[in-house]
């Protein structure tokens, strides 16, 4: 019983630190993240947002590619202009061309009026092509010409229409593999990938599972007019141990359902339907817990300080010599070589 109490105290303390770190940051609107992996992605987004570079967002389904695309638009000089998104996998191939480029009256049976395409509606703003890896091969040449020349022709039309948009694309597929298979144009890939942003899956984001889960739980309580709820000890363990193959989208689904159906003030692992955690998911040995927590804190501090050792030491509340001692203690000397001191 004493071990369980101590373990829970450490767990609650870690949640509180995560929450404080989140409050101290100025994250991109709608993006919840405390992990070094996502902090690096967010800094990259902030740097490239004001530019006109074409961006390719890569990541598994459910990792938040459209959320980051919208953040790129919101932080850009085009933020007051339209953000238009098209999912290449959701529109039948026979309709996709007219959806993108529009058509003239009489271009085909049923074309009773001139109609603008999605690209035209994005004029002056940002055009987001989601699941670009599913774009039919026959359309890729036409998209490539648009990207190169920044002009389009509607179906059935002969007039070239100049278009000024910032292009962002996303896919969960490996485009180089599709190029090798002959289903994706290499020249289009190089046009789209001026800047590539790799979004890590949820299972690789240190500390983000708990932070995002708690944020979602409180949100769903508010949206459904429920009393404030918390995750039980076994639920927290189970979420940390779970692989999350569907990433954040899966987490949203499971937590929303559990929030509504759970009894009492706690959401359990059974409510989440992700199985019971292994007994050794969280260590009980206080030395192991402390060492693991300090290692994660050091890595996060370096990430928050943008690779500045002196600033990281201030964030951690220690002197620079003490921080170097911690690098040696935990075998993190490799991190020091690539970080600045001033």
């Amino acid at each position: 019983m004493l071990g369980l109490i101590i373990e829970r105290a450490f767990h609650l303390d870690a949640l509180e630190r995560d929450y404080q770190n989140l409050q101290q940051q100025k994250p991109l609107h709608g993006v919840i993240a405390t992990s070094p992996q996502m902090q690096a992605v967010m800094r990259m987004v902030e740097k490239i947002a004001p530019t006109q570079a074409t961006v390719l967002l890569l990541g598994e389904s459910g990792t938040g590619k459209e959320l980051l695309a919208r953040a790129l638009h919101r932080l850009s000089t085009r933020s007051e202009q339209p953000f238009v998104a098209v999912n290449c996998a959701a529109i039948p191939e026979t309709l996709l061309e007219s959806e993108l480029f529009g058509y003239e009256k009489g271009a085909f049976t049923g074309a009773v009026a001139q109609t603008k395409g999605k690209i035209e509606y994005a004029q002056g703003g940002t055009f987001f092509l989601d699941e670009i890896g599913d774009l039919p091969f026959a359309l890729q040449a036409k998209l490539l010409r648009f990207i190169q020349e920044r002009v389009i022709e509607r179906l059935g039309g002969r007039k070239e229409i100049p278009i000024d948009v910032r292009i962002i694309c996303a896919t969960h597929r490996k485009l180089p593999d599709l190029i090798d298979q002959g289903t994706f144009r290499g020249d289009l890939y190089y046009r789209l990938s001026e800047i590539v942003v790799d979004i890590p899956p949820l299972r690789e984001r240190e500390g983000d599972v708990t932070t995002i889960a708690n944020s979602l739980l409180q949100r769903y309580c508010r949206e459904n007019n429920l009393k404030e709820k918390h995750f039980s000890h076994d639920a927290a363990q189970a979420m940390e141990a779970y692989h999350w193959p569907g990433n954040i989208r899966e987490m949203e689904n499971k937590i929303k359902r559990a929030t509504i159906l759970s009894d009492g003030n706690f959401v359990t692992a059974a409510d989440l339907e992700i199985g019971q955690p292994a007994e050794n998911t969280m260590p009980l040995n206080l030395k192991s817990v402390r060492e693991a927590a300090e290692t994660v804190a050091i890595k996060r501090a370096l990430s928050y300080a943008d690779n500045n050792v002196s600033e990281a030491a201030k964030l951690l509340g220690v002197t620079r010599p003490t921080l170097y001692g911690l690098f040696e203690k935990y075998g993190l000397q490799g991190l020091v070589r690539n970080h600045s001191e001033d």
Side-chain angles (χ1 to χ4, degrees), residues 7 12 20 43 70 72-73 76 89 101 106 108 118 156 167 181 187 250 266 283 327:
E7 182 182 0
L12 292 176
Q20 290 174 353
R43 284 200 306 271
R70 291 184 180 276
L72 281 165
H73 172 70
S76 75
F101 298 97
F108 50 82
K118 295 288 190 181
I167 299 171
Q181 297 165 16
D187 48 4
E250 179 186 10
F266 287 92
F327 277 127

Side-chain angles (χ1 to χ4, degrees), residues 12-131:
L12 292 176
D13 182 60
L15 289 180
E16 181 65 24
R17 286 199 306 270
D18 280 340
Y19 178 76
Q20 290 174 353
N21 285 336
L22 193 61
Q23 293 297 102
Q24 291 168 4
Q25 301 171 53
K26 293 183 179 179
L28 302 180
H29 178 73
V31 181
I32 303 169
T34 58
S35 66
Q37 296 86 349
M38 280 303 293
Q39 288 296 309
V41 169
M42 292 162 71
R43 284 200 306 271
M44 189 175 183
V45 166
E46 289 169 344
K47 287 179 180 178
I48 63 181
T51 74
Q52 300 303 314
T54 299
V55 180
L56 178 61
L57 302 170
L58 301 178
E60 295 179 5
S61 294
T63 49
K65 296 186 288 296
E66 182 168 348
L67 190 65
L68 288 179
R70 291 184 180 276
L72 281 165
H73 172 70
R74 191 165 45 249
L75 295 174
S76 75
T77 58
R78 300 173 179 267
S79 59
E80 299 301 317
Q81 301 302 317
F83 175 91
V84 178
V86 173
N87 188 319
C88 298
I91 302 173
E93 182 175 348
T94 53
L95 300 178
L96 187 55
E97 184 175 6
S98 60
E99 187 76 8
L100 292 176
F101 298 97
Y103 52 86
E104 298 289 349
K105 180 179 179 180
F108 50 82
T109 303
V112 296
Q114 183 189 80
T115 302
K116 290 182 179 181
K118 295 288 190 181
I119 295 175
E120 277 190 82
Y121 279 113
Q123 181 72 269
T126 301
F127 182 58
F128 175 51
L129 273 168
D130 199 5
E131 297 303 346

Side-chain angles (χ1 to χ4, degrees), residues 94-265:
T94 53
L95 300 178
L96 187 55
E97 184 175 6
S98 60
E99 187 76 8
L100 292 176
F101 298 97
Y103 52 86
E104 298 289 349
K105 180 179 179 180
F108 50 82
T109 303
V112 296
Q114 183 189 80
T115 302
K116 290 182 179 181
K118 295 288 190 181
I119 295 175
E120 277 190 82
Y121 279 113
Q123 181 72 269
T126 301
F127 182 58
F128 175 51
L129 273 168
D130 199 5
E131 297 303 346
I132 189 67
D134 292 295
L135 184 70
F137 193 80
L139 269 182
Q140 292 177 24
K142 191 166 184 177
L143 180 65
L144 177 62
R145 180 175 181 271
F146 158 61
I147 294 172
Q148 291 178 157
E149 307 296 334
R150 299 299 165 134
V151 296
I152 64 166
E153 290 181 16
R154 300 191 190 110
L155 270 70
R158 296 182 180 274
K159 179 184 175 182
E160 290 188 340
I161 303 170
I163 300 292
D164 173 29
V165 294
R166 202 263 183 88
I167 299 171
I168 302 174
C169 298
T171 182
H172 72 283
R173 307 184 69 178
K174 297 184 184 300
L175 295 184
D177 290 348
L178 298 183
I179 294 171
D180 291 340
Q181 297 165 16
T183 59
F184 201 86
R185 295 178 63 110
D187 48 4
L188 177 58
Y189 170 71
Y190 292 117
R191 284 287 181 179
L192 296 176
S193 58
E194 289 181 350
I195 296 180
V196 177
V197 179
D198 282 297
I199 306 171
L202 184 57
R203 60 185 172 278
E204 295 178 7
R205 304 180 191 180
E206 298 170 11
D208 277 359
V209 167
T210 301
T211 303
I212 296 172
N214 276 284
S215 177
L216 290 174
L217 179 62
Q218 300 314 315
R219 187 179 103 197
Y220 293 141
C221 284
R222 290 192 303 270
E223 290 179 355
N224 293 283
N225 299 314
L226 299 171
K227 285 176 42 178
E228 183 178 354
K229 296 189 179 187
H230 303 277
F231 289 110
S232 66
H233 179 67
D234 71 325
Q237 282 188 308
M239 288 190 297
E240 289 288 348
Y242 187 58
H243 193 63
W244 295 110
N247 292 290
I248 297 171
R249 189 176 295 127
E250 179 186 10
M251 176 181 277
E252 289 174 336
N253 181 285
K254 289 188 176 297
I255 292 179
K256 186 172 187 177
R257 178 186 181 282
T259 303
I260 295 171
L261 297 180
S262 60
D263 297 319
N265 297 326

